[in-house]
Amino acid sequence: MFFKKNDKKIEDSFLIKVGALLIHAAKIDENYTENEEEIIKKTLLELGVKNENLSSTIKEAKIIEENSNQILEFTREVKNLSENEKIKIIEALWAIIYSNKDADLYETNLMRRLAGLLYIDSKVMGDIKNKIKNENLKWHILLMIIAL
């Protein structure tokens, strides 16, 4: 969990905005899948959302994402996290993007913009992208083998 204080309102607001960012990445290719939703749920649980609050957090994140016209409001608090915490979120974003095998132009543009907004070095961003892409490629190959 990212918060050491017991300020539940700030923590909830932060997690909802992270959820909105993840949902935005999932919806940017206009193909929001169950697999992407599962990645979002898993990430939010890892970040500290309690299981009993997961549905309401995602519901609120969807509302915020639908009513927003820019990603700045999702990234404002994230950019102040430690490098390791930001990397965890970036990994989840790339996992969402590559969950359907390929990244399209809108998805890669989003990640390029996020690299700048979150102060992530382009080499680090590329390394994370390649790591996630390779993991997903191995997973898809395994699924193809099992299907035979």
Side-chain angles (χ1 to χ4, degrees):
M1 186 167 333
F2 293 124
F3 294 90
K4 293 170 179 50
K5 299 182 239 171
N6 277 345
D7 197 345
K8 181 127 176 63
K9 263 187 156 173
I10 292 172
E11 180 179 353
D12 289 348
S13 173
F14 167 79
L15 292 169
I16 290 166
K17 287 181 182 177
V18 170
L21 179 61
L22 297 170
I23 290 166
H24 183 72
K27 289 171 72 176
I28 202 162
D29 66 354
E30 298 181 0
N31 185 23
Y32 186 56
T33 66
E34 251 181 70
N35 191 24
E36 290 170 325
E37 177 118 353
E38 288 305 311
I39 294 168
I40 292 166
K41 288 177 181 178
K42 179 180 176 246
T43 302
L44 289 173
L45 289 169
E46 288 175 3
L47 295 175
V49 172
K50 302 236 182 308
N51 206 31
E52 61 269 12
N53 298 334
L54 186 59
S55 292
S56 63
T57 299
I58 289 175
K59 183 179 177 182
E60 289 180 55
K62 284 180 180 178
I63 291 168
I64 288 173
E65 192 278 333
E66 287 170 6
N67 293 318
S68 178
N69 59 0
Q70 58 180 327
I71 60 174
L72 282 175
E73 69 182 82
F74 309 147
T75 60
R76 203 166 279 132
E77 287 96 0
V78 176
K79 73 180 178 185
N80 296 320
L81 296 174
S82 74
E83 188 79 5
N84 288 338
E85 294 166 331
K86 287 191 273 190
I87 286 173
K88 183 175 271 205
I89 293 169
I90 294 296
E91 286 176 340
L93 289 163
W94 279 121
I96 289 166
I97 289 169
Y98 280 110
S99 68
N100 60 359
K101 297 184 189 173
D102 296 312
D104 70 17
L105 180 65
Y106 297 109
E107 292 167 325
T108 53
N109 183 43
L110 171 66
M111 295 307 288
R112 203 172 11 261
R113 287 179 20 228
L114 285 173
L117 289 170
L118 300 178
Y119 309 120
I120 301 283
D121 180 80
S122 59
K123 181 181 179 342
V124 171
M125 185 65 96
D127 290 346
I128 296 168
K129 173 186 172 184
N130 289 334
K131 173 187 163 196
I132 299 299
K133 187 176 180 179
N134 289 335
E135 287 174 2
N136 280 347
L137 180 61
K138 289 174 190 173
W139 178 247
H140 289 294
I141 289 171
L142 180 62
L143 289 177
M144 287 172 39
I145 291 170
I146 292 171
L148 296 175

